[in-house]
Amino acid sequence: MLELKDVHTYYGNIHALKGISLNVEKGEIVTLIGSNGAGKSTTLRTIQGINRPRSGTILLEGEELEKLPPHEIAIRGVAQSPEGRMIFPRMTVMENLEMGAYARKDKTGMSDDLERVFKLFPRLKERIGQKGGTLSGGEQQMLAMGRALMARPRILLLDEPSMGLSPILVELIFEIIQTINKEGTTILLVEQNALMALSIANRGYVIQTGEIVLSDTAPRLKENEMVRKSYLGIE
C-alpha cells in the first residue's frame, strides 16, 4: 500500500533521512522504532508532505506522493495523529472531529464515521461539547486519533500515541489501535515504547540517525539481541 524508496530529507543543511526505504502492506500494522532524534517523526512528516524530500520516491498504491502538498496527500487517504496530539485547543471535541473530515467529499458518510469514533472512544462522546484544551492527556490522544479517523484514511500514521500517558491508558490506546486495524485500517506506528509496539505489529523497522538498520517480523525483532539491549531494556 505504502512504499518509500531511497528517501532523503533535510532540515536546512542537516541530513535527517539518509535513504529511507520501507513498505507497508494493506491491512498491516508496521512499526518504526528508534531513539529520540533518529528520524521517526521526520519519516511520518515526509510521508504526509509536511517535510518535502529532496530525493526519493513515496508511493501510495502506486501513486507518487512526494511532490504533492499535504492537503492533497490527505485527500488521497493518508491521515496522521501527530506527536504531541496537536488538537485545536479552543475548538470543542465535535469541532475537532469535524476538522478531520474537512477535505472529504462524501459528507453523507460522516455520521457513520462519527459513530465509529464514539464507539472506539466513548469518552469523547461524553465530552462532545468540551473545549479540546481542557481534556486530559489521554482524552486529547483519543481526540487526535479520532480526528484522523474522521478522514476515513487508507493508511493511518500514528506518532507516539502513548507519550505521557499512564500505563493503564497506554494499554487502552494500544487495544484501540488493534481494533482500528482489525476494522480494516492499515497503520504505520512510530512509538518510543518499543515493547508495546512490537507486541501488536506485524513487522518493524529500526531507524538510527536517519537510516534503517534493521527490519524483520515483530516477533523476530523482539528476540534480536541489539533490539533487546538498545530498545527493550533487556540484557
Side-chain angles (χ1 to χ4, degrees):
M1 173 172 275
L2 178 71
E3 186 174 11
L4 277 66
K5 296 180 181 178
D6 195 27
V7 171
H8 292 258
T9 300
Y10 287 74
Y11 291 106
N13 292 323
I14 299 169
H15 198 174
L17 298 184
K18 305 167 185 173
I20 293 287
S21 295
L22 60 82
N23 67 81
V24 183
E25 300 295 335
K26 188 172 184 179
E28 280 190 312
I29 299 177
V30 173
T31 187
L32 185 61
I33 60 175
S35 57
N36 284 332
K40 304 187 302 296
S41 293
T42 301
T43 301
L44 296 193
R45 289 169 62 87
T46 301
I47 294 167
Q48 194 75 60
I50 299 165
N51 294 119
R52 185 64 59 86
R54 194 170 291 183
S55 63
T57 307
I58 302 170
L59 299 167
L60 180 68
E61 296 187 322
E63 181 183 6
E64 290 190 10
L65 300 183
E66 71 275 2
K67 293 175 183 171
L68 297 176
H71 70 278
E72 289 288 346
I73 293 171
I75 288 169
R76 280 160 175 76
V78 181
Q80 183 172 175
S81 173
E83 182 181 6
R85 290 118 200 188
M86 303 294 285
I87 58 147
F88 301 104
R90 295 183 183 180
M91 289 185 175
T92 65
V93 166
M94 186 65 181
E95 288 166 341
N96 269 273
L97 294 173
E98 287 172 344
M99 286 300 292
Y102 181 79
R104 282 177 58 170
K105 301 284 193 292
D106 61 323
K107 300 299 182 184
T108 52
M110 281 176 51
S111 59
D112 290 340
D113 288 312
L114 198 58
E115 282 306 309
R116 179 193 178 201
V117 168
F118 288 149
K119 187 177 177 184
L120 287 166
F121 306 107
R123 209 173 302 182
L124 293 182
K125 192 167 188 178
E126 296 167 12
R127 308 275 193 274
I128 194 165
Q130 196 170 321
K131 295 283 177 67
T134 66
L135 301 177
S136 69
E139 290 164 350
Q140 289 190 18
Q141 183 59 56
M142 293 173 190
L143 182 55
M145 290 170 64
R147 180 182 60 187
L149 287 173
M150 285 300 294
R152 196 178 281 185
R154 287 192 276 170
I155 184 162
L156 177 63
L157 311 180
L158 294 175
D159 196 351
E160 303 287 6
S162 78
M163 182 182 284
L165 301 185
S166 67
I168 291 173
L169 272 178
V170 170
E171 293 273 356
L172 176 62
I173 289 294
F174 274 84
E175 284 174 14
I176 292 168
I177 292 170
Q178 287 178 286
T179 301
I180 291 167
N181 177 248
K182 285 172 185 171
E183 290 179 351
T185 303
T186 304
I187 294 171
L188 178 57
L189 168 67
V190 159
E191 177 55 57
Q192 197 74 33
N193 189 333
L195 187 60
M196 287 294 290
L198 291 172
S199 71
I200 68 166
N202 302 102
R203 294 185 299 112
Y205 292 86
V206 179
I207 185 170
Q208 291 181 353
T209 58
E211 297 179 271
I212 300 291
V213 296
L214 192 60
S215 66
D216 212 330
T217 64
R220 285 180 186 165
L221 285 176
K222 283 172 78 172
E223 297 304 318
N224 181 278
E225 186 178 353
M226 183 270 280
V227 173
R228 286 168 71 86
K229 283 183 178 179
S230 299
Y231 303 107
L232 305 182
I234 302 171
E235 293 295 332

